[in-house]
Amino acid sequence: MPLFNIPKRIDKASDKSLAAKSKSTVKAPATVKGGGVLAQINQIKATVEKNLGQFKDDYIVIRNQEDLRMYMQWCLTTDVISIDTETTGLDPLVDKIVGLCIYTPNHPAAYVPINHISYVTGVRVDDQLTEKEVGEELRQLLNHHITVIMFNAKFDMRVIRNQLGVKEIYCDWDCYLAARLMNENEGAGNNGLKQLHKKYVLNGQGDAFSFDSLFKGITADKIPVNSFYLYAAHDAIITYELYLFQKKYLYYDESEPSDARNGMNGVSWVFFNIEMPCISVVCDMEDNGVAFDFAYAQSLSTKYNATLKEREQKFYDLCNMYADDIERYKQANRNHKLDNPINIGSSTQIAILLYDILKIEPPDPKSPRGTGEPILSKIDNPIAKAVLDYREMSKLVTTYIDKLPGCVNPKDGRIHCSFNQYGADTGRFSSSDPNLQNIPSHNKDIRKMFVASPGYVLMSSDYSQQEPKVMTQMCGDPKMIKAYQEGKDLYAEIAALSFNTSYDNCLEFRPDGTTNPEGKARRSQAKSILLGVLYGRGVPSI
């Protein structure tokens, strides 16, 4: 029995009165912003009705703090809550929270609207809670430390931290991370909440419908609550249902026999002891971001763009040496694809220049018109070298020097990238928006754009041969164990065996500290092979 009387249907009378208010305050009709908006919202309504209409009487909307407080009492009796957030975008620092989706078993899934606006006037609609009110009730609930379930918890936790002010937010079970651990081979397009729910909870039956295409070009806050609540509340309940499925395999209890977790004891241990505790740390990393030196970045942009221009000009100067050959080609091929001057950024035009005009023999018969770096580096011609030099500089300018300043968050002047703690199928981190794990190490200029905050220092550290040492412990290979016991470099030891030479000839540095180029090259090859084998590299690739 419900603890209090929350209406199971939306108060349509209040929505009608809201529409009347909108009409009275706007002189132009709704189509003033483009008939497409109204048509899109009507399509969203129809799609929601078709796919989720059967849940009209099962899901509820909570429109005041008292009702939210009572719902939280329900959660205390069940000791578990599933949480999802709806926002205007994907930046927890800048974009607004639109509403909170919550579910606790044996009770209706609920949607708490916070920042819905009229798609006609842009004015915040009535009968919603404020961020402060929702934050207060959520904070009170979390003080009892009930089990919190989320999907892609990092995002929702950051939204709740930054938009609701609940710094104490935590997650006990992230269904996304659990899914990645249980089956790391799920394709990128198949590891979303709805796809996983359909596959594992519904046994592949029904439609894993998505509103992504419908929502394109319109933010969630413009969608009327009386339609949006079905979509939003549904996410909270299917998150909980996916959790129940995963719990059968990953629930960790030392008192249970080892076979009670379907043979996934190790995966369960990693989930609870590594992945889940890591989420709050990643949230801190992303919220903190890194300070950026705009003045230095601007000076770097001036310097590198000038160098880029010089390299481009060098290419054109070289082309001018073959001006007659280029002109003869154009005369003989009226439908040629060459610009005037030749576009250095066009692979097609570079191929014509090298292979048709200059008559260069392709270094790789399998790619007779190739213009990639591996092929151009084998061509002994100054134009090929000029193209490579230009591309190298162009990548630095476009990917880093001129791009990174645009990634700075306007709210605090820092760069906040996304750290994906299970970004690779091997379980390793990845980084995106921008990728701060891919800043060139050979170019010291670019890294200097990132600076320490006042009163702090930047520190760099690295594990020494972490993966080979773990592998040595796990496989128990006596030669590898002996190498480490004797304080040797395992990469150099393997290189010595591979190249049939001494250990000292495979070290990166000589005893006097100077670099040993030949030894470094041998060691690098051995390192590439060893780490490749560790992460599944096959014999043909090696």
Side-chain angles (χ1 to χ4, degrees):
M1 295 292 292
L3 300 180
F4 60 97
N5 183 27
I6 299 180
K8 289 192 173 183
R9 290 185 181 273
I10 299 297
D11 184 357
K12 293 182 174 58
S14 64
D15 286 343
K16 289 178 181 178
S17 63
L18 182 65
K21 290 179 184 178
S22 298
K23 290 179 181 178
S24 65
T25 56
V26 180
K27 295 181 180 179
T31 54
V32 70
K33 290 189 176 182
V37 176
L38 181 58
Q40 187 176 2
I41 288 177
N42 286 335
Q43 188 178 2
I44 291 172
K45 288 180 178 180
T47 305
V48 170
E49 177 66 30
K50 176 183 177 182
N51 291 283
L52 300 172
Q54 68 269 32
F55 300 115
K56 277 183 180 178
D57 296 332
D58 300 321
Y59 300 165
I60 60 175
V61 178
I62 298 177
R63 293 185 178 274
N64 60 72
Q65 190 172 4
E66 181 183 356
D67 286 350
L68 178 59
R69 184 175 301 129
M70 292 305 294
Y71 194 97
M72 295 306 183
Q73 291 298 316
W74 285 357
C75 297
L76 288 176
T77 62
T78 59
D79 199 37
V80 62
I81 184 173
S82 170
I83 298 177
D84 184 35
T85 61
E86 300 295 344
T87 62
T88 57
L90 300 177
D91 187 337
L93 294 176
V94 175
D95 295 313
K96 277 192 171 186
I97 184 171
V98 177
L100 187 72
C101 321
I102 50 179
Y103 172 73
T104 196
N106 303 317
H107 296 287
Y111 179 61
V112 185
I114 301 172
N115 279 312
H116 282 264
I117 63 176
S118 166
Y119 64 87
V120 179
T121 65
V123 176
R124 183 175 182 274
V125 301
D126 296 332
D127 297 322
Q128 300 185 89
L129 280 83
T130 65
E131 290 93 335
K132 181 180 178 182
E133 291 171 335
V134 176
E136 287 176 354
E137 300 308 321
L138 190 56
R139 187 177 294 107
Q140 289 298 318
L141 177 70
L142 295 174
N143 286 340
H144 295 275
H145 207 98
I146 70 170
T147 300
V148 175
I149 315 298
M150 295 180 181
F151 186 91
N152 189 22
K154 179 190 70 172
F155 177 80
D156 293 315
M157 286 173 62
R158 290 189 64 209
V159 170
I160 291 170
R161 280 182 174 190
N162 292 286
Q163 302 298 322
L164 301 183
V166 183
K167 305 300 181 183
E168 308 90 339
I169 185 65
Y170 59 87
C171 177
D172 295 290
W173 193 290
D174 185 341
C175 291
Y176 173 74
L177 289 177
R180 291 287 281 154
L181 281 165
M182 291 172 68
N183 184 358
E184 76 280 8
N185 295 315
E186 298 278 8
N190 298 315
N191 55 22
L193 172 60
K194 295 174 179 65
Q195 290 84 1
L196 292 170
H197 182 267
K198 174 185 176 180
K199 180 176 181 179
Y200 294 111
V201 179
L202 302 180
N203 296 315
Q205 303 301 310
D207 295 322
F209 57 90
S210 173
F211 292 84
D212 292 347
S213 59
L214 282 177
F215 288 169
K216 194 171 183 178
I218 186 170
T219 49
D221 56 340
K222 295 183 179 68
I223 302 172
V225 175
N226 62 348
S227 290
F228 194 74
Y229 87 102
L230 288 171
Y231 164 82
H234 189 70
D235 276 359
I237 198 169
I238 65 175
T239 297
Y240 180 78
E241 290 173 351
L242 182 59
Y243 153 73
L244 291 181
F245 169 81
Q246 295 171 340
K247 185 179 178 183
K248 294 183 295 184
Y249 297 89
L250 294 182
Y251 180 69
Y252 190 78
D253 186 344
E254 291 288 356
S255 65
E256 289 185 344
S258 60
D259 60 349
R261 291 185 291 277
N262 300 279
M264 299 190 75
N265 292 3
V267 176
S268 176
W269 190 94
V270 169
F271 179 65
F272 284 104
N273 291 280
I274 297 178
E275 298 295 353
M276 290 309 302
C278 199
I279 297 175
S280 61
V281 179
V282 176
C283 288
D284 288 341
M285 291 164 61
E286 293 190 5
D287 280 343
N288 286 335
V290 60
F292 191 79
D293 190 333
F294 278 99
Y296 176 75
Q298 181 58 51
S299 66
L300 214 58
S301 177
T302 301
K303 171 186 172 183
Y304 274 72
N305 274 287
T307 304
L308 180 63
K309 196 69 179 175
E310 291 172 3
R311 294 189 179 186
E312 182 182 37
Q313 187 58 51
K314 182 178 180 180
F315 168 79
Y316 291 132
D317 291 342
L318 290 169
C319 287
N320 286 337
M321 296 171 59
Y322 301 95
D324 292 341
D325 296 322
I326 294 172
E327 187 58 34
R328 277 194 293 271
Y329 175 85
K330 290 181 177 180
Q331 293 296 329
N333 298 272
R334 293 297 180 182
N335 295 322
H336 66 80
K337 299 179 180 179
L338 295 179
D339 291 333
N340 187 21
I342 292 174
N343 183 355
I344 191 174
S346 168
S347 297
T348 299
Q349 296 185 43
I350 296 300
I352 292 173
L353 175 61
L354 295 176
Y355 303 122
D356 298 333
I357 298 175
L358 303 184
K359 306 296 183 182
I360 292 174
E361 189 69 23
D364 185 357
K366 294 181 180 179
S367 184
R369 301 188 67 78
T371 61
E373 188 273 335
I375 292 177
L376 292 189
S377 61
K378 296 177 182 178
I379 296 177
D380 185 15
N381 184 285
I383 285 185
K385 176 67 164 59
V387 171
L388 287 176
D389 288 345
Y390 173 84
R391 288 179 180 174
E392 177 190 37
M393 186 58 55
S394 177
K395 181 177 180 180
L396 293 177
V397 169
T398 58
T399 307
Y400 305 107
I401 294 171
D402 284 353
K403 180 181 178 181
L404 287 174
C407 298
V408 173
N409 194 303
K411 188 173 182 178
D412 60 5
R414 301 169 72 88
I415 288 183
H416 302 265
C417 76
S418 177
F419 289 108
N420 313 304
Q421 69 183 80
Y422 208 126
D425 291 343
T426 57
R428 297 182 68 159
F429 264 78
S430 71
S431 171
S432 56
D433 306 317
N435 184 355
L436 294 189
Q437 291 182 206
N438 196 36
I439 305 301
S441 59
H442 62 275
N443 185 301
K444 304 304 180 184
D445 286 346
I446 294 176
R447 294 197 166 198
K448 291 178 183 177
M449 289 194 288
F450 303 99
V451 295
S453 301
Y456 290 81
V457 296
L458 288 179
M459 185 189 79
S460 174
S461 61
D462 187 19
Y463 282 104
S464 176
Q465 302 184 18
Q466 181 184 29
E467 292 98 328
K469 286 179 179 175
V470 171
M471 180 186 69
T472 299
Q473 171 68 20
M474 294 178 71
C475 74
D477 181 83
K479 290 185 178 180
M480 297 172 72
I481 293 173
K482 183 181 178 182
Y484 279 124
Q485 288 176 338
E486 293 177 353
K488 289 185 175 180
D489 180 303
L490 187 60
Y491 299 134
E493 183 78 353
I494 292 175
L497 291 171
S498 302
F499 291 99
N500 193 28
T501 185
S502 69
Y503 172 76
D504 291 339
N505 283 339
C506 298
L507 291 173
E508 183 176 354
F509 299 101
R510 300 186 182 95
D512 61 0
T514 59
T515 301
N516 178 8
E518 294 82 6
K520 181 179 180 180
R522 297 186 188 102
R523 181 183 182 275
S524 295
Q525 290 190 52
K527 179 179 179 180
S528 175
I529 292 172
L530 177 57
L531 295 180
V533 170
L534 277 175
Y535 285 100
R537 188 178 179 186
V539 172
S541 174
I542 293 174

